[in-house]
Amino acid sequence: MIEVLVVDDDVRVARINAAYAAKVPGFRVAAMAHSAAEALGVIGELPIDLILLDHYLPDRNGLAVVRELRGLGHHADVIMVTAARDVATVQAAMRHGALQYLVKPFAYAGLRTKLEAYAALRRTFEGGGEAEQTEVDRLFGGLWATGGSDLPKGHSPTTAELVRQALRAADGPLSAQEVAESAGMSRQTAQRYLKLLERTGRVRLSLRYGDTGRPEHRYTWTTGA
């Protein structure tokens, strides 16, 4: 199980976020904290793997918490979960090692996709070994999520989620036409989103050869299975 610490100054929001995280298979909420001091105290006492960290805390901001954690030698991973959306804060979070950034408000699906991608990344790292450039590229893009505001311009999170659901519900690889029919969209739209998801490592492409000799592209969802 991945042990999670939820940090938010709003007790109600912390409970909601904790409930969301607990619903994702493989994650367990070890504790909640409502200030920087509480968070640091919990991390000093419990084995925490992942922190869902708000930026606006009453005693210090979230980035200050990350700085202190690293200074103390704690290596828990951090996903910022906050209403702070100014570019300076987002950039600072990246520089301090936050793995992802989820802007409030969000639905359960938004956090779920972040956590599923994080779990997949942990599994890859635990496998060890060496990585070719394509694998390195996939790892660095591994926390890209379909449900958030980090989609490329011109792409709809709702459409991406429909493609994701179609692939996850399937018993095996699907063609672009089959995805289109399942998700209720045109084949061209399904193909565009499948190519995007394949480039970011969320979808695996395979080829099936038929009687014509021309291979059919088949797609499988690769994370959160």
Side-chain angles (χ1 to χ4, degrees):
M1 298 293 285
I2 296 172
E3 301 292 340
V4 180
L5 169 62
V6 176
V7 183
D8 199 293
D9 67 322
D10 187 317
V11 175
R12 183 183 62 85
V13 172
R15 288 174 179 167
I16 292 172
N17 291 349
Y20 280 173
K23 287 173 63 177
V24 182
F27 290 82
R28 178 168 52 206
V29 177
M32 291 185 291
H34 309 297
S35 69
E38 277 188 60
L40 292 167
V42 169
I43 293 166
E45 296 176 358
L46 298 177
I48 299 297
D49 300 306
L50 176 66
I51 307 170
L52 301 182
L53 181 61
D54 188 17
H55 183 60
Y56 297 122
L57 300 173
D59 46 351
R60 256 173 292 179
N61 66 42
L63 296 181
V65 173
V66 177
R67 284 196 297 268
E68 184 156 349
L69 282 175
R70 300 303 181 240
L72 293 171
H74 294 294
H75 301 294
D77 294 317
V78 175
I79 294 178
M80 298 296 294
V81 181
T82 178
R85 60 181 65 214
D86 59 284
V87 173
T89 300
V90 175
Q91 185 180 46
M94 294 172 63
R95 287 175 174 171
H96 285 87
L99 291 180
Q100 256 294 4
Y101 200 105
L102 186 59
V103 177
K104 296 177 183 177
F106 54 87
Y108 165 63
L111 180 59
R112 183 192 65 212
T113 52
K114 294 284 191 289
L115 294 181
E116 287 175 345
Y118 171 75
L121 193 67
R122 279 179 64 96
R123 289 194 295 270
T124 300
F125 285 147
E126 288 167 0
E130 296 183 347
E132 300 296 335
Q133 183 62 55
T134 54
E135 178 69 4
V136 172
D137 291 342
R138 190 183 71 79
L139 290 172
F140 270 87
L143 285 176
W144 181 84
T146 62
S149 59
D150 48 2
L151 281 167
K153 186 177 180 180
H155 290 78
S156 163
T158 301
T159 304
E161 179 64 14
L162 289 173
V163 171
R164 173 185 178 277
Q165 290 175 2
L167 290 172
R168 291 196 67 194
D171 294 329
L174 298 180
S175 66
Q177 182 61 43
E178 289 168 334
V179 171
E181 292 172 357
S182 176
M185 62 184 68
S186 71
R187 184 186 183 281
Q188 291 78 9
T189 298
Q191 186 71 57
R192 184 161 64 97
Y193 279 82
L194 287 166
K195 287 182 177 178
L196 172 64
L197 294 168
E198 193 270 330
R199 287 199 304 269
T200 57
R202 304 305 299 276
V203 164
R204 181 172 62 252
L205 170 65
S206 59
L207 300 178
R208 187 174 73 178
Y209 290 87
D211 296 335
T212 63
R214 183 176 182 179
E216 179 185 40
H217 289 196
R218 311 283 292 179
Y219 299 91
T220 308
W221 190 259
T222 61
T223 58

